[in-house]
Amino acid sequence: QVQLVQSGAEVKEPGASVKVSCKTSGFTFTGYYLHWVRQAPGQGLEWLGRIDPKTGDTRYSQKFQGRVTITTDTSITTLYMELGRLRSDDTAIYYCARDAKMSADFWGQGALVTVSS
Amino acid sequence: QSALTQPASVSGSPGQSITISCTGTSSDVGAYNYVSWYQQYPGKAPKLILSYVSDRPSGVSNRFSGSKSGNTASLTISGLQAEDEADYYCNSYVTSGTWVFGGGTRLTVL
């Protein structure tokens, strides 16, 4: 069965970087785009970007361009999202999701990133 | 890229039908049929309930339906049930090759 299992919660200081992982299984890793979406406390969903694991091609939200990097390691079918220059308003749950027909059909469980001094 | 516009809240009584709108632009909702809808319960990950405007994934109730006209997409839930009380988000592909979500709508079942 399709599974996306994310790394655990992180606490970071302002200005630092965080790297969240998403281990996938149950499907052909290079056959689907993979996305990152975040949700701040009490707020809505916000798209960060996506990657084509087959080619490495990425697309990022203009809001996060230059601050976010999405990568994959196809040997271990794992997706990563690194966000730099963290601010307090980056505190959120970060989700990975698989793309099917330009929709997110399977989601990870989410990883809480807290930015606090 | 601005978020798609959804009503902050809607409500309905059990058995009734409700519709949630999702308004975008000619660069996103109006340009493609790649509009999807998600249901989210508190503390849980979102769940896909409609893709490609109106396609229901396996296991999703046929009480959920979708449509689109111009730059506005809509989610209709018929025969409202208590378990439908949740947050709902629309999402669209954008001409830049990116995605955009709506601000979300809280559905209250009275």
Side-chain angles (χ1 to χ4, degrees):
Chain A
Q1 71 280 24
V2 174
Q3 286 192 311
L4 294 87
V5 179
Q6 299 183 228
S7 48
E10 303 256 17
V11 179
K12 295 292 183 180
E13 292 194 344
S17 296
V18 67
K19 191 169 186 176
V20 182
S21 68
C22 174
K23 168 66 178 170
T24 73
S25 60
F27 64 97
T28 303
F29 186 70
T30 53
Y32 297 83
Y33 288 1
L34 296 167
H35 297 257
W36 286 97
V37 177
R38 78 177 188 180
Q39 187 169 37
Q43 302 300 308
L45 302 176
E46 185 171 33
W47 185 79
L48 280 77
R50 69 88 172 143
I51 188 168
D52 176 356
K54 185 174 185 178
T55 65
D57 178 60
T58 53
R59 292 283 191 273
Y60 298 119
S61 166
Q62 203 167 357
K63 176 178 177 178
F64 300 101
Q65 191 83 37
R67 224 167 45 99
V68 67
T69 303
I70 298 175
T71 57
T72 58
D73 184 336
T74 56
S75 68
I76 55 171
T77 64
T78 299
L79 168 71
Y80 302 94
M81 186 282 301
E82 184 168 21
L83 186 63
R85 304 195 300 277
L86 290 168
R87 307 186 295 253
S88 58
D89 62 358
D90 290 318
T91 294
I93 297 174
Y94 289 76
Y95 293 101
C96 58
R98 189 184 80 162
D99 183 329
K101 278 200 305 185
M102 293 299 174
S103 61
D105 63 345
F106 285 92
W107 295 67
Q109 83 277 20
L112 175 63
V113 174
T114 302
V115 182
S116 173
S117 54
Chain B
Q1 180 63 47
S2 299
L4 306 175
T5 301
Q6 298 182 232
S9 63
V10 298
S11 62
S13 299
Q16 286 186 331
S17 292
I18 63 96
T19 296
I20 299 172
S21 61
C22 169
T23 301
T25 70
S26 57
S27 296
D28 40 63
V29 175
Y32 308 95
N33 285 331
Y34 292 126
V35 175
S36 50
W37 289 89
Y38 303 86
Q39 177 190 61
Q40 186 181 34
Y41 293 113
K44 300 294 187 182
K47 173 189 173 185
L48 177 67
I49 55 173
L50 292 175
S51 64
Y52 205 64
V53 175
S54 59
D55 288 351
R56 278 188 308 276
S58 174
V60 173
S61 171
N62 59 11
R63 296 185 299 104
F64 293 92
S65 62
S67 63
K68 192 188 88 166
S69 178
N71 295 339
T72 299
S74 299
L75 165 69
T76 298
I77 308 175
S78 58
L80 210 56
Q81 299 179 359
E83 68 199 46
D84 298 330
E85 187 162 293
D87 293 326
Y88 292 85
Y89 295 90
C90 62
N91 165 263
S92 177
Y93 177 79
V94 185
T95 51
S96 54
T98 60
W99 281 13
V100 63
F101 281 95
T105 299
R106 176 147 298 175
L107 169 61
T108 301
V109 180
L110 302 170

